[in-house]
Amino acid sequence: MSENKNKFEGNSRYFTICIYSIITVLVIAIIVRAVFFWESTSETLNRLLSSLSPFFIGILIAFLINPLVSWMRKTVFKKWLHIRNDALNRMLAILFSYLLVISVLIVGLIYLIPEIIDSLNQLLNQMPEWGNSIMDFVNNLSERYPDIDFKYLQKTITNADSSLQDIISKLISGITTTILVTGVSVIKFVFNFIVAIIVSCYLIIDKKMQARGTKRVIYAVFKKERADKIWNVGKNSIRIFSNFFDGKMIDSLIMGILCFICMMIINFFGVKGFAECSLLISIIVCVTNMIPYFGPFLGGIPSVLLLCIYSPKSGLVFAILIIILQQLDGNLIGPKILGDSTGLRPLWIIFAITVGGWAAGVIGMLLGVPCVAVITGLTEDYVNKRLDEKGIDMPILKNEKVRKSKPKIRKKSKSK
């Protein structure tokens, strides 16, 4: 009897409390360490992110190239070439997708970098001439209207001319330095690129097995009801991200092709610079169009400056062209391709782009929209669940023509 009384018996409740206490202390310690020793913490995080960058790049490559792999597997090799072996079909689709993307990137870099540097050099050489033309115009105005003081305007133009020349000179030297540094550290770059490609390949090949493994871990750690919620949230988040990026990539590709065709057509009317810069500008428009709303203008401003090298008329014509293409994309092409992939109103999209751009620059502007879409989707699910529990029927008005009505309270049937 005495042995049984002295025997230690475990208590799952106290064990759970102990685990939560240890986790809480660790989290507080990490927060205190990060706040009071931020410089060393930031340096450690930067080293960690730098060492893990090939894996992050590989995840991004896999996420972006997966739609092309799926299309080639289902359409090219299965439907057109009638390859029925799933393993062979998948491997061929992955191989040809990567070869296609890498070939396009190599050819694009070989062609674009020299053209960008040459265009900037031409812009730098033309700037003194433009400055002299503007100064002559201001001097003529001062002669016509001697009562008006144009000294401040003349000083501003002179300072702006020198400032722009300095900026472009630094930009050209920065591009050249970047190319040289990349050439010096080419071994590290090649190694990281190869690791990223290998990681992305394995992610695409084993995506079903990885999804299955993740699901097993979630259901093993959490209760079934909580696991169902976590799994559904993860699937919806990935679906929103995938729909947004797939649709945006197709939409941007169409916009780049349309821009190239329109510039070649306008070139027949004798507008200078459209034939020389059509490919470069079309690629710029295609890439920047990935950013909603502001993307076409972010790509249009440098494109207008490039065309102004040849003549201000060319820049004006392209400005009109990009406005027309943006309206066409926003009202016809974009809604047809994207549909309601994010489910966000324009105000929330602008908010997501603004906050994302402030937090992480161009990448933040690109990722801000799907992130806010995921948050609003989860919030909407929670609100719908709470309203349903309270018996309130309050649907979301999807258009302004719907008649406003008071919330209806569903009467709960009395159980006998």
Side-chain angles (χ1 to χ4, degrees), residues 236-298:
N236 290 334
S237 302
I238 293 174
R239 177 184 56 81
I240 292 173
F241 268 83
S242 179
N243 290 343
F244 174 78
F245 279 107
D246 294 351
K248 260 300 176 182
M249 287 173 66
I250 297 173
D251 176 52
S252 299
L253 182 62
I254 293 175
M255 286 296 295
I257 295 173
L258 282 178
C259 180
F260 181 78
I261 294 173
C262 292
M263 291 187 70
M264 295 305 294
I265 292 174
I266 295 174
N267 178 60
F268 287 110
F269 295 93
V271 180
K272 297 180 180 179
F274 271 59
E276 293 81 359
C277 299
S278 58
L279 181 59
L280 173 62
I281 290 176
S282 300
I283 293 175
I284 294 174
V285 170
C286 176
V287 173
T288 56
N289 192 69
M290 288 290 294
I291 301 173
Y293 285 97
F294 301 111
F297 300 104
L298 291 176

Side-chain angles (χ1 to χ4, degrees), residues 189-206:
F189 172 78
V190 170
F191 175 76
N192 290 338
F193 184 74
I194 292 174
V195 173
I197 292 295
I198 294 173
V199 169
S200 63
C201 287
Y202 277 111
L203 286 174
I204 293 177
I205 293 172
D206 298 333

Side-chain angles (χ1 to χ4, degrees), residues 308-319:
C308 284
I309 296 173
Y310 300 92
S311 69
K313 178 183 175 182
S314 301
L316 178 62
V317 171
F318 181 78

Side-chain angles (χ1 to χ4, degrees), residues 124 127-128 160-170:
L124 184 62
M127 289 195 66
D161 184 32
S162 59
S163 300
L164 286 174
Q165 290 187 45
D166 292 338
I167 292 172
I168 294 175
S169 300
K170 291 179 181 178

Side-chain angles (χ1 to χ4, degrees), residues 192-244:
N192 290 338
F193 184 74
I194 292 174
V195 173
I197 292 295
I198 294 173
V199 169
S200 63
C201 287
Y202 277 111
L203 286 174
I204 293 177
I205 293 172
D206 298 333
K207 61 180 180 180
K208 291 183 179 180
M209 187 178 297
Q210 291 162 5
R212 180 68 177 174
T214 304
K215 188 174 183 180
R216 282 166 54 84
V217 172
I218 292 174
Y219 277 85
V221 174
F222 301 96
K223 294 181 179 180
K224 187 177 185 303
E225 183 179 355
R226 181 70 60 83
D228 288 336
K229 292 180 180 179
I230 295 174
W231 183 249
N232 290 330
V233 167
K235 285 201 306 183
N236 290 334
S237 302
I238 293 174
R239 177 184 56 81
I240 292 173
F241 268 83
S242 179
N243 290 343
F244 174 78

